[in-house]
Amino acid sequence: DTGVSQDPRHKITKRGQNVTFRCDPISEHNRLYWYRQTLGQGPEFLTYFQNEAQLEKSRLLSDRFSAERPKGSFSTLEIQRTEQGDSAMYLCASSPLQGRNEKLFFGSGTQLSVL
Amino acid sequence: DAKTTQPNSMESNEEEPVHLPCNHSTISGTDYIHWYRQLPSQGPEYVIHGLTSNVNNRMASLAIAEDRKSSTLILHRATLRDAAVYYCILRSNFGNEKLTFGTGTRLTIIP
């Protein structure tokens, strides 16, 4: 069990550029979540997958954001035409499909800075 | 999701017990009480969860009020490693799968 892995750890980009983050969940975890966290705030839910199906998207996830989990394993989160307000820590979490109160395992996040 | 209320910050001396309170007066019968913590520069980490009865694990204890409108996370002997933001979260046993985080309690441990 190597834990949830996120890549890259840090990303600096210029406003208007596209960025893509990757999340590798714990092996055999069916559920995968993306969260965003800004300084001094708790993580905010963005979206959730069960296997390859995207089952819920937050209203925070504007049209510039897209997430995929093509084979039900790793997931990518893409932000198009980045804005300075997108600067945040992007967290990924996974959990097994064994019940509704299984704990979530979080990665260390990708810190995005938009200049 | 029902909301929780936690103090913004708390301090405790090293090697002493810490009691972190959480109010959740609008909790429903199917809501579990979850606690996560977030150490600096890391993602949140599961601590403990419970429904009605008090719970213990290797990290902490969770004391749940009889009316379930409040709960307390107890760290029996705080170490410097316990300095983190602690989040109290209600999660329904039905419906939404996500965890909804508040701003949590920032715990500072004084050496």
Side-chain angles (χ1 to χ4, degrees):
Chain A
D1 181 355
T2 57
V4 176
S5 176
Q6 293 190 245
D7 184 67
R9 286 297 309 275
H10 303 274
K11 179 70 177 179
I12 300 173
T13 191
K14 292 183 179 178
R15 188 162 47 99
Q17 298 294 304
N18 298 345
V19 294
T20 300
F21 310 140
R22 176 178 170 126
C23 171
D24 287 274
I26 293 172
S27 178
E28 298 181 357
H29 276 193
N30 303 90
R31 296 174 174 165
L32 187 146
Y33 306 77
W34 284 99
Y35 283 79
R36 180 174 70 187
Q37 185 173 27
T38 53
L39 201 61
Q41 302 298 313
E44 296 173 297
F45 171 79
L46 293 179
T47 190
Y48 149 66
F49 290 85
Q50 184 161 301
N51 300 314
E52 65 274 12
Q54 189 173 17
L55 296 187
E56 187 174 352
K57 287 167 51 172
S58 163
R59 283 172 292 179
L60 292 174
L61 214 63
S62 76
D63 291 346
R64 297 184 298 104
F65 287 70
S66 63
E68 293 183 345
R69 194 182 183 198
K71 297 182 180 179
S73 57
F74 73 92
S75 175
T76 57
L77 178 67
E78 181 183 15
I79 309 174
Q80 297 183 328
R81 305 181 303 281
T82 52
E83 302 173 356
Q84 287 184 325
D86 297 330
S87 295
M89 173 74 79
Y90 289 84
L91 293 161
C92 176
S94 70
S95 73
L97 184 67
Q98 292 174 358
R100 290 189 178 271
N101 271 286
E102 286 296 327
K103 56 188 176 185
L104 272 62
F105 294 81
F106 283 82
S108 295
T110 294
Q111 182 66 53
L112 173 66
S113 298
V114 181
L115 304 179
Chain B
D1 294 324
K3 289 191 67 174
T4 62
T5 304
Q6 299 177 253
N8 288 335
S9 62
M10 289 183 64
E11 287 185 349
S12 179
N13 294 320
E14 193 178 9
E15 298 186 4
E16 290 188 356
V18 182
H19 290 236
L20 295 163
C22 181
N23 288 320
H24 28 79
S25 58
T26 60
I27 191 170
S28 75
T30 59
D31 286 340
Y32 279 75
I33 302 158
H34 287 249
W35 284 82
Y36 281 73
R37 72 179 185 181
Q38 189 170 20
L39 279 64
S41 303
Q42 294 188 26
E45 161 186 50
Y46 169 84
V47 178
I48 201 166
H49 78 279
L51 183 62
T52 54
S53 304
N54 294 344
V55 184
N56 299 296
N57 66 21
R58 63 173 182 81
M59 288 181 71
S61 295
L62 176 59
I64 301 172
E66 199 168 329
D67 64 4
R68 301 210 324 126
K69 293 186 177 181
S70 66
S71 60
T72 302
L73 180 71
I74 302 165
L75 307 179
H76 295 285
R77 192 166 166 271
T79 68
L80 295 177
R81 252 192 51 86
D82 292 319
V85 178
Y86 286 78
Y87 297 98
C88 171
I89 302 164
L90 300 183
R91 192 182 192 194
S92 176
N93 204 33
F94 301 97
N96 291 335
E97 301 294 345
K98 64 180 182 284
L99 293 175
T100 301
F101 290 81
T103 52
T105 296
R106 181 172 298 279
L107 176 65
T108 301
I109 305 297
I110 301 167

